[in-house]
Amino acid sequence: MADQIAAESAISTSTVPSTSTLKVNLDAPRWDQSTFSGRAKHFFTITDPRNLLATSSQLEEAKSLVLQYRLGKLSSSVTEDQLWKAKNLYDSAFHPDTGEKMFLIGRMSAQVPMNMTITGFMMTFYKTTPAVVFWQWINQSFNAIVNYTNRSGDSPIPVKTLGISYVLATTAATGTALGLNMVVKNIASPLIGRYVPFAAVAAANCINIPCMRSRELTNGIPVNDENGNRVGESRRAATLAIGQVVMSRVVMAMPGMALPPILMNYMEQKGILLKRFPWSAAPLQIGMIGVCLVFATPLCCAIFPQKSSMSVSLLEPEVRDKLPASTTRVYFNKGL
């Protein structure tokens, strides 16, 4: 009788799936974020356009694997690579704070296909006023969708602030483009005229991002010591963080808006393809910009560490005076 009970117990135990013994920190990126290469690998994963092709069932499966791991119920058959793949897919589609599925074109993985299309048309149709106004408006509308989709769940940006930023950025981009078009039309070569959209985008970024994060400039952002303990809020850290983001965004747009004009101007002067097939200008520019953005987007996001730092000596006196003498640097999240 005892042997029968032991046998039944063994059979019952063998049918219960074992749980995974993986020890993975899913709250931190997979690669070392203190190095440029580690940050670049992280952002190549985040901005991978192939994530947009995932079906709803694949996204739910990825979400389920991540939740199972956090609850300690993940099957032992799941490998570390499979878990990271699920985590990356989950992060690409679900909001980190609310857990809600994000609007498709507002996801980071939509940055390359959306920006290559919009930028391609901006740089193809840049000579007439209606075209300039329309495509600058489309570009800033897309930026507003991205900002809203990726807003903080704990401390969301008010819709009013997003609206003001949207209007100011659209006005700045359109005004810059139209003003420069009038200038270069009379005194500059056709090649210079092709750079007007880039100047407009740069001007819009310099206005849009500070406006959108104006509360941070007023109230400061959290700063931590080297152990992750929050030591206060700093307006100077906010200024540094926003400056780094603006610089990254401008540099990110540079390859796709600086190299194609040279090639397009050369092809136009030599009569290569464009005179025979004038309709090919837009597809060519979109393709060239796409190639540039596939690399520029993640590489420029990786220029500065997500967890940036600054010397204690640069902090406001009221924040600096609260810190121990042994603390020499503080750390903060710069944003994207």
Side-chain angles (χ1 to χ4, degrees):
M1 184 68 176
D3 292 342
Q4 181 180 356
I5 293 175
E8 290 176 354
S9 176
I11 293 172
S12 175
T13 303
S14 65
T15 59
V16 177
S18 58
T19 56
S20 174
T21 58
L22 289 175
K23 298 296 181 182
V24 177
N25 182 12
L26 293 185
D27 294 324
R30 186 176 188 178
W31 297 279
D32 181 7
Q33 296 300 284
S34 65
T35 66
F36 177 77
S37 61
R39 296 194 297 271
K41 290 177 182 178
H42 172 64
F43 283 109
F44 266 110
T45 302
I46 287 180
T47 60
D48 189 343
R50 293 175 296 180
N51 291 332
L52 296 174
L53 302 177
T55 63
S56 295
S57 60
Q58 289 174 321
L59 293 177
E60 291 300 328
E61 182 181 352
K63 180 179 180 180
S64 176
L65 284 178
V66 172
L67 294 179
Q68 286 176 26
Y69 176 78
R70 293 190 186 280
L71 295 172
K73 298 179 179 179
L74 185 67
S75 170
S76 60
S77 63
V78 178
T79 65
E80 183 174 341
D81 283 340
Q82 289 174 324
L83 179 59
W84 275 115
K85 184 177 180 181
K87 175 64 164 53
N88 294 333
L89 191 57
Y90 171 76
D91 286 347
S92 75
F94 294 92
H95 195 281
D97 294 329
T98 65
E100 297 176 351
K101 189 180 292 185
M102 294 184 289
F103 187 48
L104 187 70
I105 65 171
R107 301 173 190 173
M108 287 299 292
S109 48
Q111 285 287 298
V112 171
M114 290 300 298
N115 275 323
M116 65 183 275
T117 304
I118 294 172
T119 305
F121 281 114
M122 270 200 305
M123 298 185 69
T124 301
F125 306 106
Y126 66 93
K127 294 182 179 180
T128 66
T129 298
V132 168
V133 172
F134 178 75
W135 285 109
Q136 292 296 338
W137 169 68
I138 289 291
N139 187 45
Q140 294 309 318
S141 297
F142 169 65
N143 288 338
I145 291 173
V146 172
N147 292 335
Y148 183 77
T149 302
N150 294 277
R151 68 197 184 282
S152 170
D154 295 330
S155 180
I157 301 170
V159 175
K160 180 181 178 181
T161 302
L162 285 171
I164 292 173
S165 302
Y166 170 56
V167 171
L168 290 176
T170 304
T171 302
T174 305
T176 301
L178 292 176
L180 288 177
N181 269 347
M182 292 179 63
V183 172
V184 301
K185 189 182 297 183
N186 299 319
I187 65 172
S189 69
L191 178 59
I192 300 299
R194 291 183 181 274
Y195 286 106
V196 168
F198 172 67
V201 168
N205 277 327
C206 291
I207 293 175
N208 186 20
I209 298 170
C211 285
M212 186 181 66
R213 298 175 62 175
S214 58
R215 286 198 306 172
E216 298 178 14
L217 293 171
T218 303
N219 303 323
I221 58 175
V223 291
N224 305 317
D225 62 19
E226 59 183 5
N227 298 317
N229 300 313
R230 186 164 171 169
V231 295
E233 290 78 33
S234 170
R235 295 182 298 277
R236 293 181 181 176
T239 302
L240 179 59
I242 291 171
Q244 290 178 346
V245 171
V246 170
M247 185 181 297
S248 295
R249 295 277 188 96
V250 173
V251 175
M252 188 186 301
M254 196 176 293
M257 301 187 81
L259 299 178
I262 298 175
L263 296 175
M264 294 298 292
N265 195 63
Y266 175 80
M267 293 173 69
E268 194 173 79
Q269 289 179 344
K270 298 297 182 181
I272 302 173
L273 193 65
L274 295 181
K275 286 187 177 180
R276 187 175 179 183
F277 305 104
W279 54 266
S280 64
L284 278 173
Q285 293 213 92
I286 290 173
M288 286 188 286
I289 292 168
V291 171
C292 292
L293 286 177
V294 163
F295 298 97
T297 301
L299 292 177
C300 291
C301 283
I303 291 176
F304 301 104
Q306 191 63 34
K307 183 182 178 182
S308 291
S309 67
M310 64 187 296
S311 172
V312 168
S313 63
L314 300 177
L315 289 172
E316 297 89 331
E318 61 270 22
V319 180
R320 184 174 61 242
D321 293 344
K322 296 178 183 178
L323 298 174
S326 58
T327 303
T328 58
R329 299 194 72 79
V330 291
Y331 301 85
F332 55 89
N333 185 346
K334 73 174 177 66
L336 284 174

